[in-house]
Amino acid sequence: MTTITARRALLPQGWAENVAVTLGADGRIAKVETGVAGGAGLLLPAPGNLHSHAFQRAMAGLTEARGPGGRDSFWTWRRLMFHFLDRLTPDHVEAIAAQVQMEMLEAGYAAVAEFHYLHHRPDGTAYDNPAEMSARIAAAAYETGIGLTLLPVLYQQGGCDGRALGDGQRRFGTGTDDFATLMGHAATALAPLPDARLGMAPHSLRAIPRDVLTLVPQMTDGPLHMHLAEQQAEVEEVRTAYGARPVEWALDNLPLDGRWCLIHLTRMTDDETARLAPTGAVAGLCPITEANLGDGIFNATGWQAHGGTFGIGSDSNVLISLAQELRQLEYSQRLRDRARAVLAEDDRSTGRVLFEDATKGAARALGRDAGGIAPGMLADLVMLDDRSPDMAHRPGDTMLDAWIFAGVGGVRDLWSAGRHVVRDGHHIARETMAARYADTLRQLEDTP
Ligand code: NGQ
Ligand code: ZN
């Protein structure tokens, strides 16, 4: 049995000093003790990352120039993204996913929900194993040790009017029966990963016919994730086709509850916020990507006031930083409201609320038995370096605030379901995976 000792730790009941956490051979926490002196560092429950498209990491930095049309937008970015993914082979996807998962672990995430839609060959035909690409994501997780919730994406049409998939979307499209086969093979690919989960993701209201979407809750017993209400043009498209705004339509037609995670929600009215929050559906927020794509600002204050649950996703993976995601979320509210410490509560600082609530929300969204340092839970743990003078002698909440807002105290160690994969700030197999990733980028540059 391994025992981790920390100078301070965030337990479900609050901050504790001189904590020892014993890990069981099953990847779960066996015992938590306090008053065990001699430890160093700040020990926290490590959150999951609830939304990722791994392959998009390889186009980071390639979409920041002005395009030929003069006005760049989410939709021009989307065209570049479709063009980019056309070149990717299964080997490329595995190498990119390993790099991404390694960076996530080094950033403090113990697990990831991979919203995975790049299923088929460039011409749209299935690989010999219809879940070949899912198997590559699983292989990367086996190598990096990240906890994986795999969400194969159902994608069937080019828009709400039922138009056919466009050229850039051929690799995503799957009929409902073929999708069931793909899910079976995906489950096989996850078998070597003891704490993996399988859910599914209807891509968006745009990509699935309504009658199919209403059947989705019967197609798996795992978590259900869907993009919803991210862009104004999407709101208009759904309103024109279905006579309701996206969140409104979802509230009236889907059995929304804690199994669901709705990604973005940057275009949500006050009334929709008040109705959606109490359903228990998790708001999947991706503050860095939402800023990068010009999506708009999620109404986090309204969501909080109505008791809503949220978690953080790195989505396009243009920058993988848990601390910066949390900071960006709070700053978006401050800039909108011209106020400070907006998400703080009477007895919890801003950083504490952001970190603690995002950790619990992600555990629900990933269907993962994690989110707190307590016996029986998966040992998803992150140790921050607490030696910075901005942290060292301060109360626990202030240490989290310094990490998130002052950018001090990096991730020192990380355990995912007890796997000690980040040590002294680096993933234990960083060199191998970084070299393969560099190779992959070189190959992609040589491809026209
Ligand atoms: C995606 N990404 O599936 O990767 C989407 C873009 C779409 C974000 N929404 C494509 N951030 O929404 O159709
Ligand atoms: Zn997404």
Side-chain angles (χ1 to χ4, degrees):
M1 288 225 195
T2 307
T3 299
I4 302 164
T5 52
R7 190 170 71 85
R8 182 175 285 161
L10 182 59
L11 304 183
Q13 57 276 21
W15 294 107
E17 310 286 316
N18 300 319
V19 175
V21 178
T22 305
L23 312 185
D26 58 356
R28 291 178 184 267
I29 295 170
K31 195 162 60 169
V32 181
E33 292 164 284
T34 56
V36 182
L42 180 68
L43 188 67
L44 306 167
N49 174 352
L50 57 62
H51 191 69
S52 160
H53 309 291
F55 75 84
Q56 291 176 12
R57 170 65 179 80
M59 54 186 277
L62 296 180
T63 61
E64 308 301 335
R66 172 136 337 277
R71 217 178 131 73
D72 294 273
S73 68
F74 173 90
W75 305 101
T76 59
W77 170 84
R78 185 176 180 258
R79 271 203 296 280
L80 294 174
M81 189 267 283
F82 285 171
H83 182 63
F84 178 80
L85 65 81
D86 230 26
R87 290 169 273 174
L88 300 178
T89 65
D91 283 347
H92 293 149
V93 166
E94 184 173 338
I96 299 166
Q99 174 75 18
V100 164
Q101 293 170 7
M102 168 177 80
E103 292 184 17
M104 289 172 184
L105 291 159
E106 290 183 350
Y109 298 107
V112 62
E114 180 65 23
F115 194 112
H116 170 66
Y117 55 84
L118 184 56
H119 298 308
H120 310 305
R121 293 194 173 96
D123 66 359
T125 57
Y127 288 104
D128 294 343
N129 172 358
E132 175 69 28
M133 289 293 205
S134 290
R136 298 309 192 103
I137 304 281
Y142 190 80
E143 192 177 2
T144 61
I146 204 163
L148 178 64
T149 293
L150 182 68
L151 305 167
V153 170
L154 185 62
Y155 202 114
Q156 300 190 325
Q157 62 186 18
C160 288
D161 55 5
R163 78 190 89 122
L165 297 175
D167 282 349
Q169 297 166 314
R170 269 197 297 261
R171 303 189 75 174
F172 321 154
T174 307
T176 309
D177 293 342
D178 288 343
F179 188 76
T181 308
L182 190 156
M183 286 286 278
H185 287 275
T188 304
L190 293 181
L193 306 172
D195 48 305
R197 290 290 317 264
L198 181 65
M200 72 175 275
H203 181 274
S204 54
L205 293 187
R206 288 171 281 132
I208 318 282
R210 277 176 287 184
D211 53 331
V212 177
L213 192 51
T214 50
L215 300 176
V216 160
Q218 282 102 64
M219 292 167 70
T220 173
D221 55 12
L224 301 168
H225 289 217
M226 181 170 75
H227 293 120
L228 192 68
E230 179 182 16
Q231 281 280 323
Q232 195 51 31
E234 173 199 351
V235 175
E236 303 306 338
E237 183 178 334
V238 173
R239 192 174 14 217
T240 304
Y242 300 166
R245 298 168 50 85
V247 173
E248 213 180 358
W249 189 87
L251 279 162
D252 293 340
N253 293 279
L254 298 173
L256 298 178
D257 59 17
R259 260 180 93 193
W260 288 82
C261 178
L262 303 168
I263 312 298
H264 304 308
L265 301 172
T266 42
R267 308 262 112 213
M268 188 160 65
T269 64
D270 291 346
D271 180 56
E272 289 166 347
T273 306
R275 287 180 65 201
L276 184 59
T279 65
V282 179
L285 310 179
C286 311
I288 290 173
T289 296
E290 287 154 9
N292 185 267
L293 298 180
D295 286 344
I297 298 173
F298 173 75
N299 182 5
T301 48
W303 190 251
Q304 187 185 46
H306 290 284
T309 302
F310 74 90
I312 294 292
S314 61
D315 192 0
S316 68
N317 296 311
V318 61
L319 165 65
I320 299 173
S321 167
L322 171 57
Q324 292 192 51
E325 296 282 7
L326 297 170
R327 187 193 313 159
Q328 176 73 28
L329 172 57
E330 165 71 17
Y331 279 178
S332 68
Q333 311 295 298
R334 292 188 189 187
L335 290 164
R336 181 197 61 194
D337 296 348
R338 301 190 181 89
R340 297 200 68 261
V342 172
L343 294 172
E345 295 172 350
D346 291 344
D347 54 350
R348 293 192 301 161
S349 74
T350 311
R352 168 95 178 267
V353 169
L354 287 166
F355 184 84
E356 210 163 34
D357 293 4
T359 302
K360 288 192 190 126
R364 182 187 299 175
L366 269 69
R368 194 168 167 84
D369 208 358
I373 304 180
M377 302 209 108
L378 285 174
D380 285 357
L381 301 167
V382 57
M383 181 82 86
L384 300 188
D385 187 337
D386 65 352
R387 287 170 304 179
S388 157
D390 303 304
M391 280 184 140
H393 303 291
R394 297 193 173 159
D397 279 23
T398 317
M399 295 173 86
L400 277 177
D401 292 331
W403 179 54
I404 293 167
F405 294 101
V408 298
V411 169
R412 207 190 76 191
D413 290 272
L414 187 131
W415 294 260
S416 171
R419 297 177 290 271
H420 189 184
V421 288
V422 176
R423 301 177 189 214
D424 279 331
H426 291 293
H427 190 280
I428 49 175
R430 167 167 260 287
E431 276 66 38
T432 320
M433 290 186 278
R436 201 174 43 185
Y437 177 69
D439 227 41
T440 299
L441 285 202
R442 266 191 300 275
Q443 285 176 33
L444 289 170
E445 270 155 31
D446 294 342
T447 324

